[in-house]
Amino acid sequence: MRQAGARSQRVAVVIPAKDEVDRIAATVRAARAIPHVDLVLVVDDGSEDDTQHAARAAGAVVVRHSVNRGKASAMETGASVVAMRDVEGRPPRLLLFLDADLGETAVATAPLVPPVLEGRADCTIAVLPPQPGAGGRGIVTGLARRSIARATGWTPTQPLSGQRCLTRAAFEAASPLSRGWGVETGMTIDLLVAGLTVMEVPCDLRHRPSRNDLAGQLHRGAQYRDVALAVNARRLRGVRVPPSRRGDDAAHQKPGRPYRAWATSPEG
């Protein structure tokens, strides 16, 4: 059914943004060029610059938080506004979450959409090429990757990637989202434990990397804290797929291949 209606399915791009006046317009214009996209929504999360005006001038619908509430809150606001704009009697739009700093490369997230449209995955995640100027040592990425593998059996290539396309049902299965920078790790665990299918997709994207200066180190410290909080909250609640019930083994885990954590239904 989903595959038969894929041509008419619509997609909403949701872009959380804070102080991105230099890049948001290019990101919005590129996102509007993605096939099936009929709505680009920017959630201005308490910016102190002209992000909202630049986004609106580029063709986005803009909603604004008067104070900074964090990425997860911006994503939830965006998804709620999209739901209000969905048309009764038509399938809910797919949600394509993009970072605000992708600029003109945002159009390269287009490959995330077809696997979800066609029902091959409930959520797709972009795998980016190496980013020039990146100063991290992979400590946060390693924590997220190990934690997802421990909870679900899946070892993602880029567990912190924020470029994700998913169905409305998948978004609701992952809600409420983890706060702060733990949102992607928490979402991945929740989707897989809920019995949904996730797939990584290579996308030729460029964004502004965090460098190895003081600001970059502070950013990565905050990321590590938030990922650890998201993981520990789920560990305490027993959110996991028991090893004896897991599906695809490590040999089958690679970008372009759907992964489902359960060998049988979670309820079975």
Side-chain angles (χ1 to χ4, degrees):
M1 287 292 292
R2 205 143 112 218
Q3 193 165 10
R7 291 186 179 180
S8 61
Q9 176 70 60
R10 299 174 301 161
V11 178
V13 173
V14 178
I15 306 174
K18 183 179 187 301
D19 297 332
E20 289 288 355
V21 67
D22 292 337
R23 297 195 179 205
I24 191 63
T27 302
V28 168
R29 287 192 294 267
R32 294 178 65 194
I34 297 171
H36 299 281
V37 168
D38 75 336
L39 172 63
V40 176
L41 177 72
V42 171
V43 181
D44 184 339
D45 191 29
S47 293
E48 297 178 358
D49 62 11
D50 286 332
T51 291
Q52 62 169 323
H53 303 300
R56 193 174 289 112
V61 174
V62 179
V63 294
R64 176 171 166 77
H65 293 165
S66 58
V67 297
N68 180 246
R69 290 161 49 181
K71 184 177 183 180
S73 180
M75 292 171 67
E76 290 170 342
T77 294
S80 296
V81 173
V82 171
M84 289 189 289
R85 287 174 168 260
D86 283 340
V87 178
E88 187 175 355
R90 295 189 62 178
R93 288 177 176 89
L94 302 184
L95 299 169
L96 176 57
F97 291 99
L98 301 182
D99 290 343
D101 63 354
L102 293 176
E104 61 189 18
T105 72
V107 71
T109 60
L112 294 175
V113 176
V116 184
L117 282 178
E118 296 162 7
R120 292 184 282 129
D122 299 291
C123 174
T124 51
I125 303 171
V127 175
L128 283 66
Q131 300 294 297
R137 298 180 180 178
I139 295 174
V140 183
T141 297
L143 171 65
R145 184 181 293 124
R146 291 191 303 273
S147 299
I148 293 168
R150 192 160 42 236
T152 70
W154 188 47
T155 305
T157 304
Q158 291 185 6
L160 302 178
S161 175
Q163 328 314 317
R164 299 180 176 223
C165 182
L166 64 165
T167 64
R168 168 65 60 171
F171 182 81
E172 292 175 353
S175 299
L177 302 178
S178 295
R179 301 295 96 183
W181 301 107
V183 59
E184 289 88 7
T185 304
M187 173 186 284
T188 301
I189 293 172
D190 290 344
L191 290 174
L192 290 171
V193 172
L196 301 180
T197 301
V198 174
M199 183 169 75
E200 290 187 311
V201 179
C203 296
D204 189 15
L205 303 171
R206 297 291 184 273
H207 69 100
R208 182 177 54 249
S210 59
R211 300 184 181 277
N212 201 25
D213 54 12
L214 179 59
Q217 292 175 21
L218 291 173
H219 172 71
R220 286 187 287 275
Q223 280 186 308
Y224 191 96
R225 176 201 63 205
D226 291 348
V227 169
L229 287 171
V231 168
N232 289 333
R234 284 158 179 77
R235 190 175 298 163
L236 288 172
R237 300 199 311 268
V239 178
R240 64 194 292 267
V241 179
S244 61
R245 302 278 306 279
R246 291 178 183 173
D248 291 345
D249 62 32
H252 296 154
Q253 299 177 23
K254 59 182 180 180
R257 187 182 184 109
Y259 179 78
R260 188 173 185 274
W262 293 84
T264 59
S265 169
E267 290 78 25

